[in-house]
Amino acid sequence: MALIVQKYGGTSVGSLERINIVAQHIKETQEKGNKVVAIVSAMAGETDKLIKMAKELSKHPSDREMDLLLSSGERISSALVAIRINEIGAKAVALTGRQCGIVTDEVHTKARIKSINSKRIFEHLDNNEIVIVAGFQGISYTTGDVTTLGRGGSDTTAVAIAAALKADVCEIYTDVDGIYTADPRIVSNARKLNKISYSEMMELASLGAKVLQIRSVEFGMKYEVPIMVLSSFTFNPGTLVTKEDKEMEKIVVSGIAHDKNQARLKINDVSDQPGVAARIFNEIAKSNINVDMIVQNVSDDGKRTDISFTVPRDDAEKAFEILKRLAKDLNAGEVSVNKDVAKVSVVGVGMRSHPGVAARMFNTLSSENINIRAISTSEIKISCLIDEKYTELAVRSLHESFGLDKESA
Ligand code: ADP
Ligand code: ASP
Ligand code: MG
């Protein structure tokens, strides 16, 4: 008998028909002799709809109330799935984040899980019940208020629960049948990987491949939870996210990711002396804005410099206001913001031992006449900032130039 944690994303529970299919699959998993905990997302489009409603009522709705509002989407789907399972002859109980002991910090809309008290989940499992958990939510350990875990957060609920319960596997059911060498919606000949390392998946997730929320992969890696990504439409074997092995190092590039949620800010003509960059990035950090790529150009005389950097697009206006204020204080030149940019990245653990990846990436982009506006690297990834309109072209040409449709995983 195994303890299996499953997670069903928005499209997987997007209609009553889909909920019926999911309920059947959960019941069959139990009938094979397993204990089952299933985490569900809100029905497809529901979270966006709730956000839109709030924004129609207020330009800046409070984060606390947004969390209470958004957590309702997952509560609805968890109750509906449990209702259906009970109807078709198994026993299920639906629990909110609070009811299944998920405690987070108090950072509304992007809370982090601090602990999970799994006592209640185990009690239900011991009672032969299937536990259906409303994903994406917890309660703050200081205020007791409802918190949510950021967009895509049900993945993190699932992997964190799997870690807490020491489950045998965490199955993430979605609308594609695994992790591909690139987003299969953009690259039609993208190839499904049989397995991928936690570290590569972490890079892909942080670079825009939203198939798994980055924190879910962090949990998976930390607690060594085997994560299987697969489709609730085909139930075909999917992709295993697991520990790195020797085989994986042989493959130079495992995947291409892209992220359109980017904006580039620039401050011209600032004095090139110690403390200036610190001042700018301190101010940005104080507003909880994450800075990603940074480029600094020094003028010929070495006295003045231009600094540009990228932030998530939603934070662009806020960062722009901060920069305008700083430009006055620092006696700097013009400040600008460009939201028509995107980041494309190549990822692979094999990069550590194979030179020439950056050169190949830059050659490929240049042969398509795509200008590179900023570059950042880590041990296992290279990212380039380009004009947004070239994103699809860049992803497809990189996919081809690194032979990703051909290499075997
Ligand atoms: P869910 O609602 O099930 O959580 P998401 O929409 O969050 O599903 O994630 C699944 C989507 O991730 C896919 O439909 C696909 O377009 C996208 N995606 C991006 N990059 C990849 C990739 N490398 N492999 C598979 N899917 C990817
Ligand atoms: N419903 C939330 C979202 O749309 C969380 C999730 O689906 O994982 O982001
Ligand atoms: Mg998702």
Side-chain angles (χ1 to χ4, degrees):
M1 179 196 281
L3 172 50
I4 297 181
V5 171
Q6 301 182 330
K7 176 255 170 177
Y8 294 91
T11 34
S12 300
V13 293
S15 63
L16 295 185
E17 221 180 319
R18 291 290 324 158
I19 286 179
N20 182 36
I21 292 170
V22 162
Q24 294 283 356
H25 189 70
I26 295 172
K27 177 174 172 255
E28 281 162 23
T29 310
Q30 190 196 41
E31 281 166 355
K32 286 181 187 150
N34 304 302
K35 290 189 181 296
V36 191
V37 178
I39 287 78
V40 293
S41 285
M43 295 169 79
E46 192 59 30
T47 308
D48 288 335
K49 204 164 86 191
L50 293 170
I51 293 174
K52 192 162 165 273
M53 278 163 67
K55 294 233 157 121
E56 272 174 30
L57 294 169
S58 160
K59 242 179 161 180
H60 301 290
S62 71
D63 286 346
R64 181 186 177 280
E65 277 59 42
M66 282 309 283
D67 273 353
L68 190 61
L69 178 70
L70 297 193
S71 66
S72 66
E74 269 68 10
R75 289 172 179 228
I76 292 172
S77 49
S78 61
L80 290 174
V81 171
I83 286 170
R84 186 63 195 164
I85 293 175
N86 285 324
E87 172 65 22
I88 58 179
K91 281 197 292 179
V93 53
L95 299 178
T96 64
R98 175 200 291 264
Q99 288 170 322
C100 60
I102 299 180
V103 176
T104 73
D105 62 18
E106 62 281 270
V107 185
H108 283 293
T109 76
K110 42 188 162 206
R112 281 179 172 270
I113 295 178
K114 289 182 80 76
S115 63
I116 298 182
N117 178 353
S118 32
K119 188 169 163 272
R120 180 147 183 207
I121 298 183
F122 277 122
E123 280 169 9
H124 288 295
L125 290 175
D126 288 344
N127 206 17
N128 260 331
E129 287 165 311
I130 295 166
V131 180
I132 309 296
V133 176
F136 172 60
Q137 56 189 277
I139 62 156
S140 154
Y141 76 115
T142 47
T143 60
D145 287 335
V146 174
T147 52
T148 64
L149 310 178
R151 297 307 303 265
S154 298
D155 295 332
T156 301
T157 307
V159 182
I161 286 185
L165 303 181
K166 300 195 170 49
D168 295 284
V169 63
C170 180
E171 298 174 340
I172 305 281
Y173 287 92
T174 182
D175 54 5
V176 282
D177 56 7
I179 314 286
Y180 279 70
T181 47
D183 188 338
R185 294 186 199 285
I186 290 194
V187 181
S188 58
N189 61 351
R191 200 171 33 81
K192 187 169 86 180
L193 300 164
N194 294 328
K195 59 181 177 179
I196 186 167
S197 67
Y198 292 117
S199 51
E200 285 170 317
M201 192 58 234
M202 205 127 93
E203 289 284 8
L204 285 176
S206 71
L207 296 170
K210 65 168 187 164
V211 58
L212 284 177
Q213 198 198 34
I214 176 164
R215 282 187 204 152
S216 70
V217 192
E218 277 169 14
F219 266 107
M221 184 159 166
K222 186 164 173 200
Y223 298 101
E224 295 191 4
V225 180
I227 302 172
M228 179 63 96
V229 177
L230 63 178
S231 159
S232 70
F233 291 78
T234 65
F235 295 103
N236 287 336
T239 302
L240 180 68
V241 189
T242 182
K243 277 201 292 196
E244 190 176 324
D245 62 33
K246 283 269 164 286
E247 282 301 297
M248 292 172 179
E249 288 231 355
K250 288 189 198 148
I251 299 162
V252 185
V253 167
S254 304
I256 315 282
H258 67 279
D259 187 358
K260 295 186 176 181
N261 179 24
Q262 298 278 313
R264 183 170 72 136
L265 288 113
K266 192 166 181 217
I267 178 165
N268 285 337
D269 201 22
V270 282
S271 111
D272 188 16
Q273 61 186 46
V276 172
R279 170 100 192 267
I280 294 172
F281 292 110
N282 271 332
E283 290 290 320
I284 301 281
K286 264 197 257 164
S287 296
N288 266 325
I289 299 174
N290 283 326
V291 171
D292 180 13
M293 302 164 128
I294 301 176
V295 177
Q296 177 172 331
N297 306 311
V298 184
S299 64
D300 288 341
D301 62 10
K303 290 188 181 138
R304 310 291 289 177
T305 171
D306 298 339
I307 298 177
S308 49
F309 56 93
T310 58
V311 300
R313 209 171 276 178
D314 286 348
D315 290 329
E317 291 308 325
K318 212 156 116 192
F320 187 45
E321 291 308 317
I322 296 171
L323 223 50
K324 279 199 286 197
R325 184 163 44 74
L326 278 170
K328 273 196 198 138
D329 289 1
L330 296 169
N331 200 16
E334 201 193 334
V335 172
S336 60
V337 57
N338 178 357
K339 293 187 194 165
D340 300 320
V341 289
K343 185 168 66 174
V344 289
S345 311
V346 303
V347 173
V349 288
M351 244 180 244
R352 290 193 205 112
S353 46
H354 294 77
V357 178
R360 180 147 25 140
M361 180 173 194
F362 303 155
N363 280 336
T364 308
L365 295 177
S366 101
S367 69
E368 298 290 352
N369 258 327
I370 300 173
N371 210 359
I372 300 170
R373 312 218 167 263
I375 299 165
S376 71
T377 62
S378 81
E379 220 191 356
I380 63 163
K381 73 115 200 274
I382 303 169
S383 300
C384 293
L385 192 74
I386 60 170
D387 291 344
E388 183 182 358
K389 61 183 177 202
Y390 298 125
T391 313
E392 284 77 11
L393 175 63
V395 172
R396 288 190 195 116
S397 8
L398 289 168
H399 193 263
E400 194 182 324
S401 118
F402 283 99
L404 288 181
D405 45 338
K406 296 182 198 95
E407 281 174 50
S408 62

